[in-house]
Amino acid sequence: MRILVIGGGAREHALCHAFSRDPAVTELHCAPGNAGIAASATCHPVDQLDGSAVAELALGLGAELVVVGPEAPLVAGVADAVRAAGLPVFGPGAEAARLEGSKAFAKEVMAAAGVPTARSHVCATPAEADAALDAFGPPYVVKDDGLAAGKGVVVTDDLAEARAHARGCERVVIEEYLDGPEVSLFAVTDGETVVPLTPAQDFKRALDGDLGPNTGGMGAYTPLPWADPGLTDEVLETVLRPTVAELRRRGTPFSGLLYAGLALTSRGVRVVEFNARFGDPETQVVLARLETPLAGLLLAAATGELAAFPPLSWSDGAAVTVVIAADGYPAAPRTGDPVEGLEAVAAEDAPAVHVLHAGTRRDEEGRIVSAGGRVLSVTALGVDLAEARDRAYRAVGRIGLAGSQHRTDIAERAASDQSPTIE
Ligand code: AMP
Ligand code: GLY
């Protein structure tokens, strides 16, 4: 199978890594890709937001499956353009991708489908926002309605900060605070059949102990030894299937990856957010444990044949990923610093550890340098979380990047059999 992956972050590198282990994949292409992806795929400098350019590339390559990784091209309608060109594409069209592109739309779909989520108000003026903040009380949860790369949400006890964030957004969703640990559950769907993957946990805050600003995600692990074994089935019945059914009923079926960000509150499971694509960095650990070849699964979703797909198979062990971010991330990441030590990790730690590239590129001298806020995602497998964690951190210790930062507590509590802290 000839595959074209759209995007150029660690998630797309994880997808390419999984495809390169799949014997059904004969050719792998990526647009635009990055310095790490270039080792296993042919990279094409195509604008990932330009649907006709992507469709033209896919047709030119004779792609048999196009996988759109990030949210921005999905919301921009790139999957629609590829579908219109007659090629199988994994990823929802622009209408269904609004589940991620607009928090207000997601709330409306959840209300119609009876999916449990935080009570909320959509506010278009400062007076409405003030009234909503007052009604809910602290901690305040203020969300920019549009796409914001994981950085549009402010959770704070400080009313002035909550107000200031609300005023900086055109339309804002203000909602009830949800207590309890968070879980990310991904599901592959063709718009009708829903196949859940294994749950994972992401670490959204920049600093150890869940302090500091929200980021795109600083690390992740799977499985979740502390979670109820019935969680996946419960979320499938109460969240994933009703949401997919509601979008089908509206005539805008969601096919691709439905990501439910969940809070396990004292009053039950609640949806924090939906995303319309694989999460980053959870994908790195989820795909590391997926034994079912990936290409056939995503093709079955793209072609509406998931109902006949055999059950997924998972490795028994655990996976942990630690993100190495640039100096200044998330506010003002510095780029252009050389990345050292990748050969040492390949020599000493592979195959249990693989390093996925997020923001990297090759400079004029051929060196790999940082090119974004999150730079690398160091991913390790182990018999259990403790072993995977040790391996990941040992490899992180071999990597040099001037001024870089990473959290030191990814999967720490879960590895010692404790449930995660409540943010
Ligand atoms: P979102 O982009 O909606 O996932 O929000 C980013 C992060 O903000 C989430 O992962 C949570 O940690 C936090 N958050 C969002 N909504 C709530 C809420 N209603 N209550 C508590 N924390 C929230
Ligand atoms: N892991 C958070 C996200 O992908 O949005």
Side-chain angles (χ1 to χ4, degrees):
M1 196 186 317
R2 225 171 284 136
I3 296 185
L4 170 62
V5 175
I6 304 303
R11 163 189 39 225
E12 289 73 36
H13 196 179
L15 289 163
C16 287
H17 187 74
F19 287 137
S20 62
R21 298 193 309 257
D22 181 343
V25 177
T26 50
E27 242 181 73
L28 192 51
H29 297 267
C30 189
N34 65 32
I37 293 172
S40 58
T42 308
C43 294
H44 302 268
V46 164
D47 176 3
Q48 57 176 309
L49 298 180
D50 181 341
S52 39
V54 169
E56 199 178 309
L57 174 67
L59 285 170
L61 294 170
E64 290 153 289
L65 173 66
V66 178
V67 179
V68 183
E71 61 276 20
L74 291 167
V75 170
V78 168
D80 301 290
V82 176
R83 221 169 261 127
L87 298 178
V89 56
F90 183 80
E95 264 306 307
R98 288 177 68 212
L99 215 45
E100 172 164 5
S102 165
K103 302 227 182 245
F105 176 76
K107 287 288 184 189
E108 183 205 315
V109 170
M110 283 189 267
V115 169
T117 184
R119 287 178 297 122
S120 64
H121 287 298
V122 181
C123 308
T125 67
E128 282 173 30
D130 286 348
L133 291 170
D134 197 42
F136 287 122
Y140 303 103
V141 182
V142 183
K143 301 186 172 186
D144 193 333
D145 182 39
L147 275 189
K151 288 164 249 163
V153 177
V154 165
V155 181
T156 178
D157 284 319
D158 180 348
L159 181 58
E161 189 189 351
R163 278 198 171 134
H165 185 57
R167 291 205 183 1
C169 309
E170 201 170 308
R171 215 155 72 117
V172 73
V173 177
I174 292 176
E175 68 180 35
E176 168 194 17
Y177 178 79
L178 299 173
D179 62 356
E182 285 181 41
V183 171
S184 302
L185 185 61
F186 301 163
V188 171
T189 176
D190 55 9
E192 192 148 359
T193 301
V194 182
V195 177
L197 306 187
T198 187
Q201 193 172 46
D202 173 21
F203 291 74
K204 288 234 166 72
R205 301 283 185 145
L207 305 176
D208 282 1
D210 292 329
L211 299 173
N214 267 328
T215 68
M218 295 298 288
Y221 67 93
T222 184
L224 313 181
W226 50 270
D228 182 338
L231 178 67
T232 300
D233 284 344
E234 179 188 346
V235 175
L236 181 62
E237 290 312 321
T238 61
V239 173
L240 298 166
R241 281 195 180 131
T243 302
V244 167
E246 173 62 20
L247 286 165
R248 189 171 66 240
R249 192 189 64 74
R250 291 174 181 225
T252 53
F254 186 104
S255 98
L257 194 290
L258 179 59
Y259 163 145
L262 306 160
L264 310 187
T265 78
S266 46
R267 292 182 297 133
V269 175
R270 299 281 183 277
V271 173
V272 175
E273 66 164 345
F274 280 127
N275 291 318
R277 38 81 195 170
F278 280 100
D280 185 350
E282 299 96 312
T283 301
Q284 288 85 304
V285 289
V286 169
L287 293 186
R289 287 191 49 231
L290 179 67
E291 287 181 340
T292 301
L294 185 64
L297 174 64
L298 303 194
L299 182 66
T303 52
E305 286 156 10
L306 264 188
F309 200 80
L312 302 184
S313 140
W314 299 95
S315 76
D316 282 336
V320 171
T321 195
V322 177
V323 169
I324 299 181
D327 190 22
Y329 179 75
R334 187 177 82 195
T335 59
D337 290 302
V339 175
E340 317 277 357
L342 294 172
E343 301 75 15
V345 174
E348 305 291 331
D349 305 304
V353 178
H354 57 281
V355 179
L356 299 167
H357 293 227
T360 65
R361 65 177 175 83
R362 272 193 198 274
D363 71 3
E364 304 68 38
E365 294 154 50
R367 297 177 309 175
I368 292 182
V369 298
S370 58
R374 291 186 290 176
V375 181
L376 301 171
S377 191
V378 179
T379 308
L381 283 164
V383 290
D384 56 16
L385 285 171
E387 186 179 58
R389 203 176 171 270
D390 283 350
R391 285 175 169 166
Y393 278 109
R394 203 172 324 131
V396 167
R398 296 189 213 278
I399 292 174
L401 172 67
S404 71
Q405 40 169 333
H406 63 267
R407 280 182 62 157
T408 66
D409 62 349
I410 302 302
E412 187 173 31
R413 291 179 65 91
S416 55
D417 274 335
Q418 298 171 67
S419 66
T421 44
I422 293 176
E423 276 202 22

